[in-house]
PDB file of all heavy atoms in Angstrom:
ATOM      1  N   ILE D  36      86.760  96.098 121.354  1.00 88.00           N
ATOM      2  CA  ILE D  36      88.189  96.387 121.423  1.00 88.00           C
ATOM      3  C   ILE D  36      88.643  96.456 122.874  1.00 88.00           C
ATOM      4  O   ILE D  36      87.991  97.099 123.703  1.00 88.00           O
ATOM      5  CB  ILE D  36      88.512  97.726 120.723  1.00 88.00           C
ATOM      6  CG1 ILE D  36      88.137  97.663 119.245  1.00 88.00           C
ATOM      7  CG2 ILE D  36      89.989  98.081 120.884  1.00 88.00           C
ATOM      8  CD1 ILE D  36      88.274  98.985 118.524  1.00 88.00           C
ATOM      9  N   ALA D  81     117.253 100.840 118.224  1.00 91.00           N
ATOM     10  CA  ALA D  81     116.644  99.964 117.218  1.00 91.00           C
ATOM     11  C   ALA D  81     116.739  98.505 117.649  1.00 91.00           C
ATOM     12  O   ALA D  81     115.813  97.713 117.434  1.00 91.00           O
ATOM     13  CB  ALA D  81     117.323 100.166 115.863  1.00 91.00           C
ATOM     14  N   GLU D  94     108.400  85.212 123.098  1.00 91.00           N
ATOM     15  CA  GLU D  94     108.398  84.418 124.332  1.00 91.00           C
ATOM     16  C   GLU D  94     107.006  84.391 124.950  1.00 91.00           C
ATOM     17  O   GLU D  94     106.540  83.351 125.429  1.00 91.00           O
ATOM     18  CB  GLU D  94     109.409  84.983 125.330  1.00 91.00           C
ATOM     19  CG  GLU D  94     110.843  84.599 125.051  1.00 91.00           C
ATOM     20  CD  GLU D  94     111.074  83.102 125.155  1.00 91.00           C
ATOM     21  OE1 GLU D  94     110.412  82.442 125.981  1.00 91.00           O
ATOM     22  OE2 GLU D  94     111.886  82.582 124.374  1.00 91.00           O
ATOM     23  N   TYR D 112     112.617  95.327 102.320  1.00 96.00           N
ATOM     24  CA  TYR D 112     113.994  95.798 102.179  1.00 96.00           C
ATOM     25  C   TYR D 112     114.890  95.331 103.322  1.00 96.00           C
ATOM     26  O   TYR D 112     115.969  95.897 103.527  1.00 96.00           O
ATOM     27  CB  TYR D 112     114.000  97.322 102.083  1.00 96.00           C
ATOM     28  CG  TYR D 112     113.179  97.833 100.928  1.00 96.00           C
ATOM     29  CD1 TYR D 112     111.886  98.295 101.123  1.00 96.00           C
ATOM     30  CD2 TYR D 112     113.676  97.815  99.629  1.00 96.00           C
ATOM     31  CE1 TYR D 112     111.105  98.734 100.056  1.00 96.00           C
ATOM     32  CE2 TYR D 112     112.916  98.250  98.568  1.00 96.00           C
ATOM     33  CZ  TYR D 112     111.631  98.712  98.790  1.00 96.00           C
ATOM     34  OH  TYR D 112     110.869  99.136  97.730  1.00 96.00           O
ATOM     35  N   ASP D 141     129.410  97.401 125.392  1.00 73.00           N
ATOM     36  CA  ASP D 141     129.714  98.746 124.892  1.00 73.00           C
ATOM     37  C   ASP D 141     130.900  98.728 123.935  1.00 73.00           C
ATOM     38  O   ASP D 141     131.751  99.620 123.945  1.00 73.00           O
ATOM     39  CB  ASP D 141     129.988  99.709 126.053  1.00 73.00           C
ATOM     40  CG  ASP D 141     129.811 101.169 125.633  1.00 73.00           C
ATOM     41  OD1 ASP D 141     129.043 101.402 124.678  1.00 73.00           O
ATOM     42  OD2 ASP D 141     130.446 102.048 126.240  1.00 73.00           O
ATOM     43  N   CYS D 185      99.367 105.674 100.581  1.00 94.00           N
ATOM     44  CA  CYS D 185      98.006 105.981 101.018  1.00 94.00           C
ATOM     45  C   CYS D 185      97.049 104.865 100.585  1.00 94.00           C
ATOM     46  O   CYS D 185      97.427 103.936  99.887  1.00 94.00           O
ATOM     47  CB  CYS D 185      97.552 107.324 100.437  1.00 94.00           C
ATOM     48  SG  CYS D 185      97.215 107.267  98.655  1.00 94.00           S
ATOM     49  N   LEU D 213     110.573 121.569  98.164  1.00 95.00           N
ATOM     50  CA  LEU D 213     111.635 120.704  97.661  1.00 95.00           C
ATOM     51  C   LEU D 213     111.869 121.002  96.187  1.00 95.00           C
ATOM     52  O   LEU D 213     110.988 120.807  95.348  1.00 95.00           O
ATOM     53  CB  LEU D 213     111.247 119.233  97.850  1.00 95.00           C
ATOM     54  CG  LEU D 213     112.299 118.191  97.442  1.00 95.00           C
ATOM     55  CD1 LEU D 213     113.569 118.356  98.278  1.00 95.00           C
ATOM     56  CD2 LEU D 213     111.748 116.789  97.582  1.00 95.00           C
ATOM     57  N   THR D 215     115.062 120.128  94.577  1.00 96.00           N
ATOM     58  CA  THR D 215     115.998 119.171  93.982  1.00 96.00           C
ATOM     59  C   THR D 215     116.138 117.988  94.907  1.00 96.00           C
ATOM     60  O   THR D 215     116.066 118.122  96.133  1.00 96.00           O
ATOM     61  CB  THR D 215     117.378 119.806  93.712  1.00 96.00           C
ATOM     62  OG1 THR D 215     118.204 118.867  93.015  1.00 96.00           O
ATOM     63  CG2 THR D 215     118.071 120.210  94.997  1.00 96.00           C
ATOM     64  N   THR D 266     106.305  93.305  90.726  1.00 94.00           N
ATOM     65  CA  THR D 266     106.295  92.086  89.919  1.00 94.00           C
ATOM     66  C   THR D 266     105.090  92.049  88.980  1.00 94.00           C
ATOM     67  O   THR D 266     105.202  91.643  87.824  1.00 94.00           O
ATOM     68  CB  THR D 266     106.285  90.829  90.814  1.00 94.00           C
ATOM     69  OG1 THR D 266     105.223  90.944  91.763  1.00 94.00           O
ATOM     70  CG2 THR D 266     107.608  90.679  91.539  1.00 94.00           C
ATOM     71  N   ILE D 275     105.696 108.362  88.171  1.00 96.00           N
ATOM     72  CA  ILE D 275     105.158 108.897  89.432  1.00 96.00           C
ATOM     73  C   ILE D 275     105.312 110.416  89.460  1.00 96.00           C
ATOM     74  O   ILE D 275     104.396 111.148  89.869  1.00 96.00           O
ATOM     75  CB  ILE D 275     105.859 108.239  90.640  1.00 96.00           C
ATOM     76  CG1 ILE D 275     105.390 106.792  90.772  1.00 96.00           C
ATOM     77  CG2 ILE D 275     105.578 109.017  91.920  1.00 96.00           C
ATOM     78  CD1 ILE D 275     105.988 106.043  91.937  1.00 96.00           C
ATOM     79  N   TRP D 293     105.508 128.061  96.699  1.00 92.00           N
ATOM     80  CA  TRP D 293     106.072 128.460  95.415  1.00 92.00           C
ATOM     81  C   TRP D 293     105.504 127.548  94.338  1.00 92.00           C
ATOM     82  O   TRP D 293     104.974 126.472  94.631  1.00 92.00           O
ATOM     83  CB  TRP D 293     107.602 128.375  95.442  1.00 92.00           C
ATOM     84  CG  TRP D 293     108.274 129.079  94.295  1.00 92.00           C
ATOM     85  CD1 TRP D 293     108.820 128.499  93.199  1.00 92.00           C
ATOM     86  CD2 TRP D 293     108.465 130.482  94.133  1.00 92.00           C
ATOM     87  NE1 TRP D 293     109.348 129.451  92.354  1.00 92.00           N
ATOM     88  CE2 TRP D 293     109.138 130.693  92.919  1.00 92.00           C
ATOM     89  CE3 TRP D 293     108.134 131.601  94.909  1.00 92.00           C
ATOM     90  CZ2 TRP D 293     109.487 131.951  92.451  1.00 92.00           C
ATOM     91  CZ3 TRP D 293     108.476 132.853  94.455  1.00 92.00           C
ATOM     92  CH2 TRP D 293     109.141 133.027  93.241  1.00 92.00           C
ATOM     93  N   SER D 302     122.856 112.314  90.141  1.00 93.00           N
ATOM     94  CA  SER D 302     124.203 112.816  90.414  1.00 93.00           C
ATOM     95  C   SER D 302     124.240 113.503  91.781  1.00 93.00           C
ATOM     96  O   SER D 302     123.570 114.515  91.992  1.00 93.00           O
ATOM     97  CB  SER D 302     124.638 113.808  89.333  1.00 93.00           C
ATOM     98  OG  SER D 302     125.814 114.481  89.723  1.00 93.00           O
ATOM     99  N   SER D 371      88.935  82.783  97.473  1.00 92.00           N
ATOM    100  CA  SER D 371      87.729  82.677  96.643  1.00 92.00           C
ATOM    101  C   SER D 371      87.462  84.018  95.978  1.00 92.00           C
ATOM    102  O   SER D 371      88.032  85.045  96.379  1.00 92.00           O
ATOM    103  CB  SER D 371      86.540  82.273  97.511  1.00 92.00           C
ATOM    104  OG  SER D 371      86.229  83.313  98.443  1.00 92.00           O
ATOM    105  N   GLN D 372      86.607  84.034  94.973  1.00 92.00           N
ATOM    106  CA  GLN D 372      86.265  85.284  94.281  1.00 92.00           C
ATOM    107  C   GLN D 372      85.665  86.294  95.256  1.00 92.00           C
ATOM    108  O   GLN D 372      85.937  87.495  95.179  1.00 92.00           O
ATOM    109  CB  GLN D 372      85.293  84.996  93.134  1.00 92.00           C
ATOM    110  CG  GLN D 372      85.907  84.246  91.964  1.00 92.00           C
ATOM    111  CD  GLN D 372      87.062  85.007  91.327  1.00 92.00           C
ATOM    112  OE1 GLN D 372      87.021  86.230  91.173  1.00 92.00           O
ATOM    113  NE2 GLN D 372      88.114  84.283  90.955  1.00 92.00           N
ATOM    114  N   THR D 377      86.620  91.202  99.023  1.00 92.00           N
ATOM    115  CA  THR D 377      86.656  91.720 100.394  1.00 92.00           C
ATOM    116  C   THR D 377      88.070  92.061 100.827  1.00 92.00           C
ATOM    117  O   THR D 377      88.305  93.081 101.483  1.00 92.00           O
ATOM    118  CB  THR D 377      86.058  90.685 101.364  1.00 92.00           C
ATOM    119  OG1 THR D 377      84.744  90.330 100.930  1.00 92.00           O
ATOM    120  CG2 THR D 377      85.985  91.250 102.783  1.00 92.00           C
ATOM    121  N   ASP D 386      95.824 100.807  88.473  1.00 95.00           N
ATOM    122  CA  ASP D 386      95.817 102.125  87.835  1.00 95.00           C
ATOM    123  C   ASP D 386      96.686 103.094  88.640  1.00 95.00           C
ATOM    124  O   ASP D 386      96.220 103.734  89.582  1.00 95.00           O
ATOM    125  CB  ASP D 386      94.370 102.646  87.746  1.00 95.00           C
ATOM    126  CG  ASP D 386      94.271 103.944  86.955  1.00 95.00           C
ATOM    127  OD1 ASP D 386      95.322 104.521  86.603  1.00 95.00           O
ATOM    128  OD2 ASP D 386      93.132 104.384  86.694  1.00 95.00           O
ATOM    129  N   TYR D 393      95.106 110.139  93.832  1.00 96.00           N
ATOM    130  CA  TYR D 393      94.561 109.967  95.180  1.00 96.00           C
ATOM    131  C   TYR D 393      95.577 110.426  96.226  1.00 96.00           C
ATOM    132  O   TYR D 393      95.210 111.048  97.236  1.00 96.00           O
ATOM    133  CB  TYR D 393      94.223 108.495  95.449  1.00 96.00           C
ATOM    134  CG  TYR D 393      93.142 107.894  94.587  1.00 96.00           C
ATOM    135  CD1 TYR D 393      93.109 106.523  94.330  1.00 96.00           C
ATOM    136  CD2 TYR D 393      92.144 108.686  94.025  1.00 96.00           C
ATOM    137  CE1 TYR D 393      92.113 105.956  93.538  1.00 96.00           C
ATOM    138  CE2 TYR D 393      91.149 108.130  93.228  1.00 96.00           C
ATOM    139  CZ  TYR D 393      91.149 106.759  92.994  1.00 96.00           C
ATOM    140  OH  TYR D 393      90.169 106.209  92.208  1.00 96.00           O
ATOM    141  N   LYS D 400      94.168 116.913 101.600  1.00 93.00           N
ATOM    142  CA  LYS D 400      93.069 116.823 102.571  1.00 93.00           C
ATOM    143  C   LYS D 400      93.546 116.475 103.979  1.00 93.00           C
ATOM    144  O   LYS D 400      93.142 117.114 104.961  1.00 93.00           O
ATOM    145  CB  LYS D 400      92.054 115.783 102.095  1.00 93.00           C
ATOM    146  CG  LYS D 400      90.869 115.578 103.041  1.00 93.00           C
ATOM    147  CD  LYS D 400      89.889 114.557 102.469  1.00 93.00           C
ATOM    148  CE  LYS D 400      88.706 114.349 103.405  1.00 93.00           C
ATOM    149  NZ  LYS D 400      87.743 113.338 102.860  1.00 93.00           N
ATOM    150  N   ASN D 409      88.298 125.242  98.376  1.00 94.00           N
ATOM    151  CA  ASN D 409      89.213 126.376  98.152  1.00 94.00           C
ATOM    152  C   ASN D 409      89.920 126.288  96.805  1.00 94.00           C
ATOM    153  O   ASN D 409      90.832 127.075  96.526  1.00 94.00           O
ATOM    154  CB  ASN D 409      90.249 126.466  99.279  1.00 94.00           C
ATOM    155  CG  ASN D 409      91.286 125.341  99.244  1.00 94.00           C
ATOM    156  OD1 ASN D 409      91.347 124.559  98.298  1.00 94.00           O
ATOM    157  ND2 ASN D 409      92.107 125.255 100.277  1.00 94.00           N
ATOM    158  N   TRP D 445     135.539 142.799  79.723  1.00 78.00           N
ATOM    159  CA  TRP D 445     136.706 143.104  80.546  1.00 78.00           C
ATOM    160  C   TRP D 445     137.969 142.448  79.972  1.00 78.00           C
ATOM    161  O   TRP D 445     139.045 143.051  79.926  1.00 78.00           O
ATOM    162  CB  TRP D 445     136.452 142.596  81.971  1.00 78.00           C
ATOM    163  CG  TRP D 445     137.605 142.836  82.911  1.00 78.00           C
ATOM    164  CD1 TRP D 445     138.644 141.992  83.186  1.00 78.00           C
ATOM    165  CD2 TRP D 445     137.811 144.001  83.705  1.00 78.00           C
ATOM    166  NE1 TRP D 445     139.507 142.566  84.102  1.00 78.00           N
ATOM    167  CE2 TRP D 445     139.002 143.801  84.440  1.00 78.00           C
ATOM    168  CE3 TRP D 445     137.121 145.207  83.863  1.00 78.00           C
ATOM    169  CZ2 TRP D 445     139.505 144.746  85.310  1.00 78.00           C
ATOM    170  CZ3 TRP D 445     137.630 146.140  84.752  1.00 78.00           C
ATOM    171  CH2 TRP D 445     138.814 145.930  85.445  1.00 78.00           C
TER     172      TRP D 445
END
Side-chain angles (χ1 to χ4, degrees):
I36 299 173
E94 281 297 327
Y112 302 99
D141 200 26
C185 72
L213 183 61
T215 186
T266 52
I275 288 181
W293 194 257
S302 169
S371 66
Q372 290 300 320
T377 305
D386 186 352
Y393 296 154
K400 179 178 180 181
N409 71 8
W445 179 268

